Amino acid sequence: MTSSVVLIFAALLDYFIGDPWGWPHPVQVMGWVISRLNKFSIQVCQSSITQRIAGIILGITLIFGSGCVGWLIIQIAKGLHPLWGIVLESILLASCFALQSLRTAAEAVLKPLTAGDLASARHILSNYVGRDTQKLSEPEILRAVLETVTENATDGVMAPLFYAIVGACLPGVGLIPLALAYKASSTLDSMVGYKQAPYTYLGWFSARFEDYLTWLPCRLTVITLALLSGKPRYVWRMCCRDAVKDPSPNSGWSECAYAAILGVQMGGTNWYGGVPKPKPLLGDAIHPITPTAIQTALLLTRYAFLLWLAIAIALLFILNRSI
């Protein structure tokens, strides 16, 4: 019963508050630890083998450590007072969800874009994407926003919820440890999970491990979106046609599901540091990408999130009754 209350409170906190600017956030702590350990590993480990070993140690330490620290904090809070445990657990779980943050980021770019201020839209977009934004046209800005919103729908919203639900169903684990552990894995991937130097060997484990952790919730998200769209066979067929071409085992599937539902096309050539990087085309360009399409994608993510939330509460109720 407590887990259901925490799930509801966390969802409400994310919806109404999100991640207030300047407030402490678990990802900031994770980023600080990763940055320090990363610099130390690069200085000490010079060969590819030692860097791979350091990357494995870094990944396991942060992922396992985040889960354990989260579990310990909740236990201490519950020991002080059960209400403190519920409040802290709700806040920590809400920090794992990025649904409101995705909406805020998208609207921050769309507002100047719809007003015709391309320069401001490009500048704001550069805070959220890694690609070069200085010369992007309006359609390319819209594509970048939609790709960011749809890719992060899985690893920023649905996957943390998935692991929170799994943790709640496991005796003695709870909502927070697995959700924080996944968040740590995702943060590691975004900071060191690159094929380019100096992360080629150091970030190999983090990138691969995050792919494995995201694989199942990503497919479940695609299935959920396909069912919500009312055309599941079409969406799944498009993903099997196009998503498999993407080098990422997950982001292509997430983006392609939305592309199929919205009738738009994502992918193409992006520029990073002046170097072109082509990505496979996902979906058919039946309609152009518009601000309305981006808002629809955000709404689809919210519907999928709420559906999983309802299923989780029902599941926890059944498990509680069976004990």
Side-chain angles (χ1 to χ4, degrees):
M1 193 65 183
T2 302
S3 294
S4 298
V5 172
V6 171
L7 279 169
I8 294 171
F9 280 173
L12 291 173
L13 284 173
D14 179 62
Y15 180 78
F16 288 108
I17 300 177
D19 294 325
W21 184 261
W23 284 28
H25 196 283
V27 171
Q28 292 177 328
V29 179
M30 295 174 188
W32 184 86
V33 174
I34 294 170
S35 179
R36 298 309 186 273
L37 293 178
N38 179 42
K39 290 180 180 179
F40 175 78
S41 300
I42 292 175
Q43 291 175 352
V44 174
C45 306
Q46 301 297 322
S47 68
S48 60
I49 295 177
T50 55
Q51 285 189 4
R52 283 182 183 271
I53 295 173
I56 294 172
I57 295 173
L58 171 65
I60 292 176
T61 299
L62 192 77
I63 294 169
F64 185 73
S66 296
C68 290
V69 169
W71 181 86
L72 183 60
I73 290 174
I74 297 303
Q75 296 307 310
I76 292 174
K78 287 180 178 178
L80 295 174
H81 195 282
L83 185 59
W84 278 112
I86 293 175
V87 171
L88 192 56
E89 201 169 5
S90 300
I91 293 173
L92 281 176
L93 185 58
S95 72
C96 295
F97 302 147
L99 189 53
Q100 186 61 29
S101 298
L102 285 178
R103 180 175 293 278
T104 300
E107 291 177 347
V109 179
L110 292 178
K111 185 175 181 180
L113 184 64
T114 53
D117 189 354
L118 281 179
S120 294
R122 290 168 182 151
H123 175 69
I124 296 171
L125 179 63
S126 66
N127 296 321
Y128 301 110
V129 300
R131 71 190 72 179
D132 300 340
T133 63
Q134 300 90 339
K135 299 179 181 179
L136 292 183
S137 63
E138 181 175 343
E140 290 172 325
I141 293 173
L142 289 169
R143 176 170 70 86
V145 174
L146 185 59
E147 288 175 353
T148 300
V149 164
T150 55
E151 178 183 352
N152 287 284
T154 295
D155 55 18
V157 180
M158 303 304 291
L161 177 59
F162 171 81
Y163 282 105
I165 295 170
V166 171
C169 294
L170 297 176
V173 177
L175 292 161
I176 297 303
L178 296 188
L180 277 182
Y182 177 80
K183 205 68 178 178
S185 176
S186 180
T187 305
L188 276 164
D189 181 55
S190 64
M191 291 186 67
V192 302
Y194 301 101
K195 295 181 180 179
Q196 297 82 10
Y199 306 114
T200 307
Y201 305 108
L202 186 66
W204 165 82
F205 174 82
S206 296
R208 190 67 61 86
F209 195 67
E210 197 272 345
D211 285 342
Y212 290 142
L213 289 179
T214 308
W215 192 92
L216 180 56
C218 177
R219 270 60 183 179
L220 293 175
T221 299
V222 169
I223 293 171
T224 304
L225 292 169
L227 292 173
L228 288 173
S229 72
K231 43 185 179 182
R233 290 185 179 179
Y234 172 75
V235 173
W236 189 258
R237 186 168 68 250
M238 293 293 288
C239 288
C240 291
R241 187 193 76 178
D242 295 341
V244 292
K245 302 173 186 176
D246 196 285
S248 169
N250 299 309
S251 63
W253 280 82
S254 185
E255 292 178 26
C256 191
Y258 286 92
I261 294 170
L262 298 171
V264 301
Q265 189 173 74
M266 287 186 267
T269 300
N270 300 325
W271 293 75
Y272 298 86
V275 179
K277 183 179 180 181
K279 292 190 68 178
L281 297 175
L282 306 172
D284 294 329
I286 302 171
H287 308 292
I289 298 175
T290 63
T292 301
I294 294 170
Q295 295 293 346
T296 302
L298 289 166
L299 196 59
L300 280 168
T301 306
R302 187 171 298 282
Y303 287 156
F305 179 87
L306 291 175
L307 179 59
W308 282 23
L309 196 65
I311 293 173
I313 292 171
L315 179 62
L316 290 171
F317 177 78
I318 294 171
L319 289 175
N320 186 58
R321 289 291 298 273
S322 63
I323 295 177

